[in-house]
Amino acid sequence: MSKLVDNLIERVFPRLRRKPQYAYPAAIAIFLIAAAARMGLSPWLENSTPFLTFFVAVLLASLVAGTGPGLAVVAASFIFSWYIYFPGPGWFPLDGSAVVALGSFVLFSLLIVTVVHLLNRRVEGLLDERMRSESLLQDSALGELQLEQLNIELRHRLKNTFAVISGLISQSARHTRDVDQFAAALAGRLSAMGNAIDLVATRNFIGASLNELIAGTLKPLVPPGKARFVIRGPETIIPGDVASALALTLHELGTNAIKYGAWSNNGGSVSVTWTLTRLDNDDSRFELLWSERGGPAVSAPERRGLGTTLIDSGFPTAQVERRFDEGGVQCSLVAVLRQATTRRTRGRAPSVR
């Protein structure tokens, strides 16, 4: 029984009070029941005490349906009692005792409505507070779970990052004899990696925006001048390991463009464009094209250094092709991305296969 009462007070009545299309009909029904009960009790009650059932009706209507319906029951009860019982069927004449009785009924009924109104507000306030507390507790539990997941992901990323940095240092040292050249090359590669890691971290390790990754990686390398660098393509989220590898690839392409390609003179330009093509299985074919224009004639390198290796490796499972045209290097990178990768800046962590 107590559970039923709690359910009515905490759930049913508040919902009813928020819907006038149901609250006022409920109040009318309460009034009609009270009027019928009063008429049924007429043989045992004097006409001078007509309000016995109507006090109960005002209380129930205010509690169940709310303040407005409660006031409506007060008005209906007042009119009904005046017409039926003072001074009998009809409106007039009224004596002093009838006026006092009607006035007392209105006064006490308004007091009942006011008290119940304050009670309802207090109950609903407590319910809202309880819901907020439960929501905060749930958010806290979810926050702790997410924090733990982020810590695990962070540890995983740090291990991978240190492994990559260690490999870059050893490979850079192997392919570079000059200390200054070694330091400059390593600093540039680490900067590209750091930019990728920062972009991934700002999205809670979900991935990095391809637009932001390309712009952030190549902006320090672009020489001054108009239209030296253009990027164009749909916004795409790529996972963290792919972002780091692609950042290194783009950095090496940009470095080579400065040394030998379109950015080595005053008029050459580089464009980076990419497309996403939906496949039959809801995966997408991702193609990125690095295109140099207006630079000096270039040719394939005579020896394979670390930069060439980083460019040709691309990111996992990607197919990379380079052409050395008269106007500059043309490099295409193609991979198949799962559906999650093609989502825009929000979504689950993308993946590559």
Side-chain angles (χ1 to χ4, degrees), residues 153-207:
E153 182 68 18
L154 180 59
R155 290 195 294 269
H156 173 70
R157 297 285 181 186
L158 285 175
K159 290 180 181 179
N160 289 345
T161 300
F162 283 126
V164 173
I165 291 174
S166 176
L168 283 176
I169 292 174
S170 62
Q171 293 296 326
S172 298
R174 181 181 303 174
H175 290 87
T176 307
R177 301 301 179 187
D178 182 78
V179 175
D180 292 336
Q181 185 181 356
F182 164 76
L186 182 61
R189 289 161 183 163
L190 293 181
S191 176
M193 275 193 60
N195 176 66
I197 293 171
D198 182 61
L199 290 175
V200 174
T202 56
R203 297 182 182 275
N204 295 328
F205 300 101
I206 293 175

Side-chain angles (χ1 to χ4, degrees), residues 12-301:
V12 178
F13 292 166
R15 292 176 182 174
L16 181 64
R17 289 194 291 267
R18 296 188 187 100
K19 298 179 179 179
Q21 65 271 28
Y22 300 125
Y24 281 93
I28 293 172
I30 292 173
F31 164 73
L32 293 177
I33 293 172
R38 179 62 184 84
M39 296 292 289
L41 294 175
S42 292
W44 295 278
L45 295 177
E46 298 180 1
N47 287 348
S48 59
T49 57
F51 307 114
L52 180 62
T53 59
F54 294 121
F55 279 122
V56 178
V58 170
L59 175 62
L60 289 177
S62 301
L63 179 64
V64 173
T67 303
L71 293 174
V73 171
V74 172
S77 301
F78 176 83
I79 294 172
F80 180 85
S81 300
W82 182 358
Y83 183 81
I84 298 297
Y85 299 109
F86 297 105
W91 299 104
F92 296 102
L94 286 177
D95 56 18
S97 60
V99 172
V100 171
L102 290 170
S104 299
F105 169 73
V106 172
L107 179 63
F108 284 112
S109 295
L110 292 177
L111 181 62
I112 291 173
V113 172
T114 301
V115 172
V116 174
H117 171 72
L118 296 175
L119 177 63
N120 286 339
R121 289 188 58 183
R122 181 58 178 167
V123 169
E124 293 186 6
L126 291 174
L127 292 176
D128 291 341
E129 186 65 28
R130 187 178 70 179
M131 291 179 62
R132 284 195 294 270
S133 298
E134 292 175 352
S135 178
L136 288 174
L137 288 174
Q138 185 177 9
D139 290 344
S140 177
L142 290 175
E144 291 179 0
L145 179 61
Q146 291 175 350
L147 182 60
E148 179 63 25
Q149 291 175 343
L150 285 176
N151 286 333
I152 294 174
E153 182 68 18
L154 180 59
R155 290 195 294 269
H156 173 70
R157 297 285 181 186
L158 285 175
K159 290 180 181 179
N160 289 345
T161 300
F162 283 126
V164 173
I165 291 174
S166 176
L168 283 176
I169 292 174
S170 62
Q171 293 296 326
S172 298
R174 181 181 303 174
H175 290 87
T176 307
R177 301 301 179 187
D178 182 78
V179 175
D180 292 336
Q181 185 181 356
F182 164 76
L186 182 61
R189 289 161 183 163
L190 293 181
S191 176
M193 275 193 60
N195 176 66
I197 293 171
D198 182 61
L199 290 175
V200 174
T202 56
R203 297 182 182 275
N204 295 328
F205 300 101
I206 293 175
S209 162
L210 185 55
N211 261 311
E212 295 177 358
L213 177 70
I214 294 174
T217 302
L218 296 175
K219 183 178 179 181
L221 304 178
V222 179
K226 294 183 179 179
R228 302 298 301 270
F229 179 49
V230 177
I231 61 174
R232 183 173 62 255
E235 179 58 85
T236 306
I237 296 297
I238 56 176
D241 54 345
V242 172
S244 297
L246 184 58
L248 287 174
T249 300
L250 294 171
H251 173 76
E252 296 303 324
L253 287 169
T255 301
N256 287 345
I258 292 175
K259 291 180 179 179
Y260 318 109
W263 285 342
S264 64
N265 59 21
N266 295 327
S269 65
V270 173
S271 67
V272 179
T273 59
W274 63 95
T275 58
L276 290 169
T277 305
R278 183 62 58 87
L279 303 177
D280 294 337
N281 58 355
D282 287 336
D283 292 342
S284 295
R285 182 175 184 271
F286 170 68
E287 181 174 0
L288 182 142
L289 177 63
W290 171 282
S291 179
E292 298 184 21
R293 295 287 185 272
V298 293
S299 60

